[in-house]
RNA sequence: GUGGGCGUAGCUCAGCUGGUAGAGCUCCUGGUUGUGGUCCAGGCGGUCGGGGGUUCGAGUCCCCUCGCUCACCCCA
């Protein structure tokens, strides 16, 4: 390894070409979510550690081993945000948004941080676009939320998408089911993998995801949460499904769908793309009706999702991003004309043109080459006879007064 | 944290059984004493990831280490 400093593991520079593709994502999100009444919010990049410990759940991998936690100068424990829902809920409480018309619909596009081993589609600093709709338990809100994500993924051309859907019930149902599942797992403990056995207390639901053959056999006969939903929860789920059906969305009900954060209740969903590698989830979310209360606010329902920018782009057809337009490149035949060129380039920009000036001391030949590379439509060459304005496509050129360059280009632009 | 693969110029790569480094592309200059896209010539650019060992000699062999990458785990 060379002695040069590199970007830390799991981080990367967003270079100009990539930044242009991201701008497409941001524009699509702003358009689609804005049309549905969502307004942008941005929360701090770091928060009190306690927010995530309480909000995300102490037993989750995120809290147990993936947080970037540090002390600031006064000894406060802070953590780089590993996800977006808890911070937005914190902001909802802190700013008294329960006094606004409900639901409060918010979206964000921010970076998040998790200390994990990087691989394709998984970075230590990653970007997500996400929504949170807080203050209503209406199943229409769940369905609308899912449809919005589907629209965004569709607009971006994300390939080979699949939507999985389930319901976790209310916290009470979930707790009762959890006890039932734990009892079942304990009864078959000897056939379970060591890892799953060790998680019976902390996260029994995850047993459904195990690859271990003995565990899989046991899970074939395990009780399913979907079968234990109360009448209200079952009805809520049925209404979400009916609305999605009506919207023409294809999905698969997967009773084993488990999301890795503790705050989910009732509806949960995840979009995956088979065009991706092992990290196939492009976006997912669900309802978190108990979270606001958990964080010290009034009992308030909410639903939201997050989608990974890097993963959406990986799974999307490479969309050609248009080259930036350059109206004018100002070249000069000798250094004594540089000051005049500087002024013309500046004035051209004030007149609304995209204008660039030779800035590297190239030979005239090199300057024309540069103008060609950046796709300039006109080049103004300043010299003894005045300004030679050359139209690059045709190669035609005319000599004008230096003060007439901008007028000439402006006229040509409308042709 | 655990495995597999890979580390030679900015990029893509070559370098045979060890003899001390090359090509293409890019960039700059010149051919055209003031003019692009083609062509020709030249130039810039590498302690061959790092350290140690074997050897008269290591980019080539051995050991260690760091990094990148894919996967496990988990998620966006």
């Amino acid at each position: 390894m060379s002695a040069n400093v590199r970007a830390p593991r799991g981080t990367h520079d967003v270079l100009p070409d990539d930044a242009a593709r991201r701008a497409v994502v941001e524009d699509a999100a702003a358009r689609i979510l804005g049309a549905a009444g969502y307004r942008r919010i941005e929360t701090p990049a770091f928060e009190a550690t306690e927010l995530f410990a309480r909000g995300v759940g102490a037993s989750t991998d995120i809290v147990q081993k993936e947080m970037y936690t540090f002390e600031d100068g006064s000894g406060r424990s802070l953590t780089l945000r590993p996800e977006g829902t808890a911070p937005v809920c914190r902001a909802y409480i802190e700013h008294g948004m329960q006094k606004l018309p409900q639901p409060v619909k918010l979206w964000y596009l921010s970076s998040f941080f998790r200390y994990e081993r990087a691989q394709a589609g998984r970075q230590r600093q990653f970007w997500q676009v996400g929504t949170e709709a807080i203050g209503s338990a209406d199943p229409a809100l769940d369905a609308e939320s899912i449809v919005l994500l589907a629209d965004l993924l569709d607009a971006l051309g994300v390939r080979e998408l699949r939507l999985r859907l389930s319901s976790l019930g209310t916290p009470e149902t979930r707790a009762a089911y959890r006890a039932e599942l734990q009892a079942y797992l304990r009864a078959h403990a000897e056939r379970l993998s060591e890892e799953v056995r060790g998680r019976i207390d902390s996260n029994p639901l995850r047993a459904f995801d195990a690859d271990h053959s003995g565990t899989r056999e046991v899970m074939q006969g395990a009780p399913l949460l979907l079968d234990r939903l109360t009448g209200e929860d079952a009805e809520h789920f049925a209404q979400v499904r009916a609305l999605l059906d009506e919207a023409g969305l294809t999905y698969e009900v997967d009773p084993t769908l488990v999301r890795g954060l503790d705050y989910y209740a009732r509806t949960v969903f995840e979009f995956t793309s088979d065009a991706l590698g092992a990290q196939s989830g492009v976006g997912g979310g669900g309802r978190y009706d108990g979270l606001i209360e958990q964080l010290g606010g009034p009992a308030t329902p909410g639903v939201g999702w997050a989608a990974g920018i890097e993963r959406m782009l990986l799974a999307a057809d490479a969309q050609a991003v248009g080259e930036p337009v350059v109206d004018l490149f100002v070249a000069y035949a000798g250094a004594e004309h540089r000051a005049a060129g500087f002024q013309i380039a500046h004035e051209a920009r004030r007149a609304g043109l995209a204008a660039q000036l030779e800035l590297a001391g190239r030979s005239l030949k090199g300057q024309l080459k540069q103008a060609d590379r950046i796709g300039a439509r006109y080049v103004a060459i300043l010299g003894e006879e005045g300004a030679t304005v050359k139209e690059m496509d045709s190669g035609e050129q005319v000599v004008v007064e230096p003060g007439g360059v901008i007028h000439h280009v402006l006229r040509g632009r409308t042709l």
Side-chain angles (χ1 to χ4, degrees):
Chain A
M1 186 49 233
S2 81
N4 289 335
V5 176
R6 312 170 117 239
R9 181 192 291 240
T11 69
H12 63 275
D13 300 304
V14 177
L15 299 176
D17 285 344
D18 200 23
R21 298 187 69 207
R22 284 166 178 254
V24 172
V25 176
E26 181 164 356
D27 292 347
R31 176 172 51 81
I32 291 167
L33 301 175
Y38 283 73
R39 301 186 70 203
R40 182 125 180 207
I41 184 171
E42 287 298 333
T43 62
F46 53 84
E47 295 271 359
T49 300
E50 184 192 1
L51 173 65
F52 302 112
R54 285 208 313 205
V56 176
S59 70
T60 60
D61 276 7
I62 289 176
V63 171
Q64 284 193 342
K65 52 185 188 186
E66 296 176 0
M67 296 205 304
Y68 277 98
T69 297
F70 59 97
E71 282 192 3
D72 71 2
S74 63
R76 275 182 286 259
S77 180
L78 301 172
T79 294
L80 299 183
R81 59 185 170 198
E83 60 97 49
T85 300
V88 169
C89 288
R90 193 225 78 229
Y92 177 94
I93 296 167
E94 187 167 330
H95 300 286
M97 293 190 208
Q98 68 270 19
K99 69 178 186 281
L100 299 174
Q102 306 292 300
V104 176
K105 294 180 284 187
L106 303 166
W107 74 280
Y108 57 81
L109 194 161
S110 327
S111 63
F112 298 91
F113 308 85
R114 292 183 200 168
Y115 183 77
E116 298 180 273
R117 280 290 284 263
Q119 68 185 82
R122 191 174 73 186
Q123 297 283 304
R124 289 181 171 181
Q125 178 181 10
F126 56 100
W127 294 74
Q128 291 183 330
V129 56
T131 67
E132 312 294 349
I134 304 171
S136 169
D138 191 327
L141 192 58
D142 304 50
E144 181 179 81
S145 180
I146 294 169
V147 165
L148 287 170
L149 178 52
D151 282 351
L152 177 61
L153 296 171
D154 183 57
L156 296 175
V158 177
R159 295 167 294 161
E160 299 178 58
L161 274 177
R162 287 195 336 223
L163 169 59
R164 290 186 300 148
L165 183 69
S166 187
S167 176
L168 302 178
T170 54
E172 295 72 33
T173 316
R174 201 177 167 186
Y177 166 74
R178 185 185 165 101
E180 182 187 357
L181 179 60
Q182 285 172 329
Y184 177 83
L185 291 173
R186 285 200 192 88
H188 300 274
E190 77 286 344
R191 294 174 62 200
L192 300 173
S193 74
E194 202 174 317
E195 210 177 343
V196 169
R197 215 180 306 142
R199 277 186 179 149
I200 292 178
D201 288 325
S202 64
N203 207 338
L205 283 169
R206 218 169 281 173
F208 283 109
D209 295 334
D211 289 325
H212 180 254
S213 63
T215 304
R216 292 180 70 115
E217 283 169 31
V218 171
M219 298 320 287
Q220 298 278 320
L224 294 175
L225 179 50
L226 272 182
D227 298 330
R228 297 292 182 275
L229 295 185
T230 64
E232 274 189 359
D233 290 342
E235 175 58 23
H236 189 276
F237 189 47
Q239 289 190 37
V240 172
R241 292 186 57 179
L243 287 164
L244 291 178
D245 290 338
E246 217 156 308
L249 236 68
T250 322
Y251 59 87
E252 172 195 345
V253 174
D254 181 353
T256 72
L257 177 60
V258 173
R259 300 199 54 78
L261 298 95
D262 280 357
Y263 49 64
Y264 285 113
R266 288 190 163 171
T267 312
V268 289
F269 59 94
E270 180 170 71
F271 284 89
T272 57
S273 168
D274 294 333
L276 293 175
Q279 308 303 322
S280 61
V282 294
R287 187 163 269 291
Y288 45 85
D289 291 349
L291 179 58
I292 302 260
E293 195 172 9
Q294 179 88 23
L295 294 176
T300 309
V303 60
W305 49 257
I309 303 291
E310 290 85 359
R311 289 187 188 176
M312 289 192 289
L313 290 175
L314 276 174
D317 296 310
Q319 294 173 330
V321 176
E323 292 295 307
V325 175
V326 180
D327 299 306
L328 174 66
F329 183 84
V330 181
Y332 47 85
E336 68 273 21
H337 302 293
R338 188 173 62 173
F342 190 94
Q343 288 308 319
I344 289 175
H346 186 209
E347 285 166 21
R349 290 191 288 260
R350 291 172 62 127
L353 294 171
Q356 295 189 37
L357 172 71
E358 167 59 21
L359 296 169
R362 293 179 181 84
S363 65
L364 188 61
K365 175 176 175 169
Q367 295 180 55
L368 268 292
K369 198 180 174 78
Q370 172 67 4
D372 184 52
R373 265 193 299 245
I374 64 174
R377 294 173 49 250
Y378 289 93
V379 175
I381 302 163
L382 304 183
E384 294 309 319
E385 305 89 57
T388 305
V389 179
K390 174 169 184 168
E391 185 181 8
M392 293 297 272
D393 276 349
S394 64
E396 289 169 16
Q397 54 187 51
V398 296
V399 178
V400 302
E401 288 298 308
V405 169
I406 293 168
H407 177 69
H408 187 88
V409 174
L410 277 172
R411 219 176 40 170
R413 194 166 67 158
T414 59
L415 293 178

